[in-house]
Amino acid sequence: MLTVTDVNYIRQEVNLKRRTYSEVANQMGLDFRTIKKYADKEDWNEPKQIQRRKARVMGAAKPIIDQWLLDDSKKKKKFQRTAKRMFDQLVKEHNFQGSYRAVRDYVSRRKKELGEAAESALPLEAKPGTAQVDFGEAPFIHNGEVIDLPYLVLSFPYSNTFYFQVFRSQNRECFLEGLKRIFHYIGGVPKAIRFDNLTPAVKKILPHGERVLTDEFQRFVFHYGFTPEFCNPASGNEKGHVEAMVKYVRNNFLLPELPFSDLESLNRTFWQLAEEDRDRKHYVKEEQLSALYLKDQEALFQLPEKVFECVRYESGKPDKYGYLKVDNRLYSTSPRFAKGKVLAKISYNRIDIMTPEKELIISHVRIYGDQKKSMEWQPYLNLMAKRPMAIKYTDFYEQLPQNWQQYLEACTVPEKQQALRLLSVLLKEHDFSIATEALSLASEYGHPSVDSIKQVFYQLINGRGVRKEIEIRKGSVPVMPAIVRGASNYDQLFDKGGAS
């Protein structure tokens, strides 16, 4: 917008000094048409208010377009319909008689109104489809021992509902796995999620409320398309709803200590518990939580086509024994990678050790708690076969089933070498249970050879194990005549021929 001084100068230079439009435009750095407009303008009355004529044909189309805009707001921008696409649909599906321009103008105006409404919403206001997230901690019983485990809670302040999952740690992989698991269970993604400044999500807090996010969390946010919001430092009250839900979950579902053998199975029971809890009224709105949650669900973004893989990769160098350190815990690799380079693929429950070209070397169950080392012996067995007398002094020997210990004790040195090489092959794709059964069957008639164990093993995995004895039914075989010894049979022959 030009100032009054600018307009006066243009009119004086063009109309009084007779300079050309181009000369003044070049001098002032403006467009030729702008100089011409203000130099030639004659009507300086207040601009008349533009009256919008109501497009009669748009009346029935407006609610349809509004619904389409609402549906598309849950999708990524590239999946949202254009005004032209909406116009084509109206013509084809609703016999629309209006113009494309009318549809385009209405779509443009409604998008601005929806955008302004979204921007004007206060972050802490309970809007449908927004959520809060935090960790809690509760005691559990595992293998007869009481242990404290964290649980991740995602709550919906609008409907006062929640979901939760228990993990072994509050690390980055468990954090992302919990969020992903809840997203895919509920079939959508909250529009905005408020977090504390959790270490798995926030790498650094900058002035003016800015955050540097961890690489994995930033990719997770991009993938699922939600807006992350963070509390001010030491201001947990800004996510007071989820903090209250953390206490509610512990007091109502996790106390006293729950026993479990398999954490994944336990977590599957929590979905139903959270949903059954909605059979009550909201403490303020006096509506059923289940009905309010439906509004939360309607406001969710749709899930992306692909599931996010909650993993991180770390390059490392195993020590001389082939152990790789990941998060201050040791994981075995293979003797041939000792002092070499490997790549660790780290998820919440597994550690896959791979070559730099991402070829799998060995997989481990990720260890937590007091355990500091995980050993998978299969890659080491060929090395042991070269030093069979040293096997009794390894952890592997202690882990062997009793019958394998006894078998190796009775083996000669060459037999031990053959047996260890056989186990190296068998344990690549199978656990010890089948190998142990094969040894037991092969040992029924004494000390078996390695080839005998191998033969029985492959009979078991190919469905040709121990065969049942054939049952002979009584009477199904004809009775054979009794055998009588003596010379009387020969006498009968002579009698038939007659005496001469």
Side-chain angles (χ1 to χ4, degrees), residues 357-400:
E357 295 75 31
K358 294 191 175 181
E359 294 179 3
L360 183 64
I361 300 169
I362 197 72
S363 288
H364 292 265
V365 174
R366 187 168 181 176
I367 53 177
Y368 293 103
D370 296 332
Q371 188 179 350
K372 297 298 180 184
K373 184 169 69 173
S374 176
M375 183 67 183
E376 293 289 341
W377 283 100
Q378 188 275 330
Y380 291 78
L381 291 172
N382 279 326
L383 179 63
M384 285 186 183
K386 298 176 182 178
R387 307 169 189 170
M389 301 308 293
I391 188 175
K392 286 190 67 173
Y393 308 101
T394 65
D395 292 340
F396 174 70
Y397 186 79
E398 297 299 324
Q399 296 171 15
L400 285 174

Side-chain angles (χ1 to χ4, degrees), residues 151 271 295 301 308 346:
Y151 57 98
W271 302 122
K295 296 179 182 178
F301 288 139
F308 187 82
I346 305 163

Side-chain angles (χ1 to χ4, degrees), residues 93-256:
E93 300 171 13
H94 301 277
N95 196 28
F96 181 67
Q97 300 297 316
S99 68
Y100 164 61
R101 181 175 179 177
V103 173
R104 182 193 65 193
D105 291 346
Y106 181 76
V107 168
S108 176
R109 187 169 73 255
R110 288 296 287 148
K111 279 186 174 180
K112 288 179 182 177
E113 291 170 357
L114 292 171
E116 289 170 1
E119 290 175 4
S120 64
L122 294 173
L124 297 181
E125 191 177 348
K127 293 289 185 181
T130 61
Q132 297 181 6
V133 167
D134 201 5
F135 273 107
E137 193 172 67
F140 295 84
I141 300 175
H142 182 57
N143 294 332
E145 179 185 358
V146 177
I147 58 174
D148 292 337
L149 293 179
Y151 57 98
L152 184 77
V153 178
L154 184 143
S155 71
F156 293 97
Y158 176 81
S159 59
N160 198 34
T161 59
F162 59 88
Y163 283 103
F164 67 100
Q165 292 284 276
V166 180
F167 290 95
R168 293 282 189 173
S169 170
Q170 296 187 33
N171 61 34
R172 197 174 310 162
E173 293 73 43
C174 292
F175 170 64
L176 296 181
E177 175 67 23
L179 290 176
K180 181 188 77 172
R181 197 177 286 183
I182 294 172
F183 292 171
H184 285 271
Y185 180 81
I186 66 178
V189 181
K191 291 180 177 179
I193 306 177
R194 178 163 286 267
F195 302 90
D196 204 344
N197 295 287
L198 298 165
T199 303
V202 178
K203 189 186 299 182
K204 189 177 181 181
I205 302 176
L206 301 177
H208 311 297
E210 297 295 321
R211 303 289 191 280
V212 178
L213 305 184
T214 60
D215 294 340
E216 292 82 7
F217 183 63
Q218 183 65 80
R219 289 189 295 105
F220 186 86
V221 169
F222 286 153
H223 188 88
Y224 285 103
F226 63 90
T227 300
E229 300 171 350
F230 296 96
C231 301
N232 291 312
S235 301
N237 59 296
E238 294 180 2
K239 55 175 181 52
H241 186 268
V242 73
E243 292 196 343
M245 281 302 171
V246 165
K247 295 177 183 177
Y248 183 85
V249 167
R250 180 170 51 239
N251 294 337
N252 288 275
F253 303 107
L254 303 180
L255 293 179

Side-chain angles (χ1 to χ4, degrees), residues 378 403-404 419 421-443 448-466:
Q378 188 275 330
N403 63 342
W404 273 101
R421 290 194 188 99
L422 176 64
L423 284 175
S424 175
V425 174
L426 303 186
L427 297 182
K428 276 186 177 180
E429 297 182 0
H430 304 277
D431 59 30
F432 245 123
S433 61
I434 303 177
T436 300
E437 184 181 358
L439 175 60
S440 297
L441 292 172
S443 301
S449 67
V450 174
D451 285 339
S452 299
I453 300 171
K454 179 180 178 181
Q455 182 180 4
V456 174
F457 178 88
Y458 285 110
Q459 285 178 342
L460 288 172
I461 65 172
N462 291 321
R464 297 191 299 272
V466 179

Side-chain angles (χ1 to χ4, degrees), residues 282-403:
H282 192 279
Y283 61 98
V284 174
K285 300 175 183 177
E286 289 297 317
E287 290 186 60
Q288 287 291 111
L289 299 190
S290 55
L292 292 170
Y293 175 73
L294 291 177
K295 296 179 182 178
D296 269 320
Q297 200 167 37
E298 288 172 1
L300 299 177
F301 288 139
Q302 70 176 16
L303 290 168
E305 292 181 9
K306 294 184 178 179
V307 177
F308 187 82
E309 191 176 18
C310 302
V311 299
R312 62 185 166 95
Y313 291 89
E314 283 188 6
S315 297
K317 194 174 185 180
D319 61 21
K320 65 179 181 180
Y321 302 107
Y323 283 106
L324 177 69
K325 183 177 283 190
V326 177
D327 294 338
N328 293 319
R329 287 176 169 83
L330 296 176
Y331 295 88
S332 65
T333 59
S334 170
R336 64 192 180 99
F337 289 99
K339 295 289 187 179
K341 290 183 178 180
V342 296
L343 186 66
K345 179 182 178 182
I346 305 163
S347 70
Y348 79 101
N349 63 345
R350 296 206 67 78
I351 304 287
D352 291 336
I353 312 295
M354 304 182 293
T355 67
E357 295 75 31
K358 294 191 175 181
E359 294 179 3
L360 183 64
I361 300 169
I362 197 72
S363 288
H364 292 265
V365 174
R366 187 168 181 176
I367 53 177
Y368 293 103
D370 296 332
Q371 188 179 350
K372 297 298 180 184
K373 184 169 69 173
S374 176
M375 183 67 183
E376 293 289 341
W377 283 100
Q378 188 275 330
Y380 291 78
L381 291 172
N382 279 326
L383 179 63
M384 285 186 183
K386 298 176 182 178
R387 307 169 189 170
M389 301 308 293
I391 188 175
K392 286 190 67 173
Y393 308 101
T394 65
D395 292 340
F396 174 70
Y397 186 79
E398 297 299 324
Q399 296 171 15
L400 285 174
Q402 189 68 32
N403 63 342

